[in-house]
Amino acid sequence: MQPSDPVGHNRSAWNQMARQRNRFARPARDEDFVDPLRSVDGPGWLGGDIKGKRVLCLAAGGGRQGPIYAAAGGIVTVLDISGEMLELDRQVAHQRNLEIRVVEQSMDDLTCFDAESFEIVIQPVSTCYVPDILNVYRQIARVMAPGGVYISQHKQPVSLQVDSQGGSAYRLDAHYYRREPLPPAQTASLVREAGTLEYIHRWQELIGGMCSAGFAIEDLTEPLHADPAAEPGSFGHRSHFVAPYVRIKARRTSQAVDFPAIWTPET
Ligand SMILES: C[S@@+](CC[C@H](N)C(=O)[O-])C[C@H]1O[C@@H](n2cnc3c(N)ncnc32)[C@H](O)[C@@H]1O
């Protein structure tokens, strides 16, 4: 059964993680500001210069991405559902004398922005927290200028299907077509955040949905965390069996086409 308010549930969970200084709530460090763009864009997907570009850091509170992109010369807006994650961005911006705008809002409603407001959208892992990723893509497409670059990272569906605990082998225990959220993880791990409601998004939605919303995919990488020598059950060992993340570079092309009904079997 779908919970009545997954966004509200995740807001509370992320507010709590911000208070506990979870690993995603650790502000940018001094070394990140030496060559800020390089520290967040190793592959050079943004072309080496973002000065004067309007950047939306989407679901990116926590005091890291926003301040770094601002230090690189971007005109930055950070949107997040968690007021306490955004407070970290405010603090870092103040300490480092950077200007950023923060907006407390869910990623699946970007109507607070005018159409074509951003040349760059950066989205760290976060689409797993909303049930309808296609709606998120459609919202992003509307607020992006034609030719703009959308860089996003997502949890791979199979990684969410696999139990986060393991030994020498890992159990695939959620079905691929699951519509309802996964049961909240009781303990935090490097693949699940404790207490959050997370949704499995299929490849057809992750990639096909992005294309249907009016994006052309230009590159795709799977950040490497595998360590064949790691202890069984550790993150490095699990990642040797199951890649945890995917990172996608897409470009806003045509006007968003109407979404074709994406075939969904009954769950
Ligand atoms: C994995 S963290 C990413 C940000 C982090 N600064 C980083 O270093 O990657 C995921 C973020 O998504 C946010 N989030 C969760 N659900 C959201 C929603 N529906 N709309 C906007 N942000 C959301 C959380 O508050 C959290 O800040």
Side-chain angles (χ1 to χ4, degrees), residues 40-104:
V40 281
D41 184 30
W45 282 355
L46 293 171
D49 184 10
I50 62 160
K51 287 190 194 67
K53 299 255 171 76
R54 296 168 297 169
V55 181
L56 174 61
C57 295
L58 185 62
R64 185 165 183 277
Q65 283 94 349
I68 295 178
Y69 283 101
I75 302 165
V76 171
T77 302
V78 183
L79 179 142
D80 202 285
I81 196 64
S82 157
E84 300 200 29
M85 290 294 273
L86 290 172
E87 182 52 32
L88 297 170
D89 293 276
R90 275 197 204 91
Q91 288 169 9
V92 176
H94 179 71
Q95 285 155 8
R96 300 202 178 256
N97 206 18
L98 296 164
E99 211 170 297
I100 57 176
R101 174 168 62 143
V102 299
V103 178
E104 189 175 329

Side-chain angles (χ1 to χ4, degrees), residues 164-170 227-241:
S164 52
Q165 311 303 323
S168 56
Y170 296 90
D227 177 0
E231 281 288 302
S234 66
F235 179 57
H237 185 270
R238 184 186 192 271
S239 302
H240 192 49
F241 288 77

Side-chain angles (χ1 to χ4, degrees), residues 172-199:
L172 195 65
D173 67 352
H175 70 79
Y176 188 58
Y177 298 98
R178 184 183 176 102
R179 277 283 156 217
E180 67 275 20
L182 293 163
Q186 297 305 312
T187 51
S189 69
L190 290 174
V191 289
R192 296 281 314 276
E193 287 71 49
T196 55
L197 292 175
E198 293 186 76
Y199 293 83

Side-chain angles (χ1 to χ4, degrees), residues 14 24 59-61 65 80-82 85 105-107 124-126 129-130:
W14 277 102
F24 292 113
Q65 283 94 349
D80 202 285
I81 196 64
S82 157
M85 290 294 273
Q105 179 61 268
S106 181
M107 68 181 102
V125 172
S126 55
Y129 303 115
V130 291

Side-chain angles (χ1 to χ4, degrees), residues 247-261:
R247 198 170 154 85
I248 304 167
K249 176 191 180 193
R251 194 172 295 279
R252 179 76 175 88
T253 54
S254 56
Q255 287 303 306
V257 291
D258 274 348
F259 268 84

Side-chain angles (χ1 to χ4, degrees), residues 103-183:
V103 178
E104 189 175 329
Q105 179 61 268
S106 181
M107 68 181 102
D108 51 11
D109 179 5
L110 302 183
T111 50
C112 55
F113 301 124
D114 290 338
E116 304 187 7
S117 290
F118 302 100
E119 283 84 32
I120 296 171
V121 175
I122 304 292
Q123 184 170 24
V125 172
S126 55
T127 50
C128 49
Y129 303 115
V130 291
D132 186 355
I133 192 173
L134 305 180
N135 182 39
V136 175
Y137 288 155
R138 210 176 313 161
Q139 299 276 327
I140 298 168
R142 188 188 69 81
V143 301
M144 282 203 78
V149 179
Y150 171 36
I151 295 177
S152 57
Q153 190 159 316
H154 311 262
K155 294 188 181 181
Q156 293 205 14
V158 71
S159 182
L160 285 170
Q161 286 180 268
V162 170
D163 189 3
S164 52
Q165 311 303 323
S168 56
Y170 296 90
R171 203 181 65 212
L172 195 65
D173 67 352
H175 70 79
Y176 188 58
Y177 298 98
R178 184 183 176 102
R179 277 283 156 217
E180 67 275 20
L182 293 163

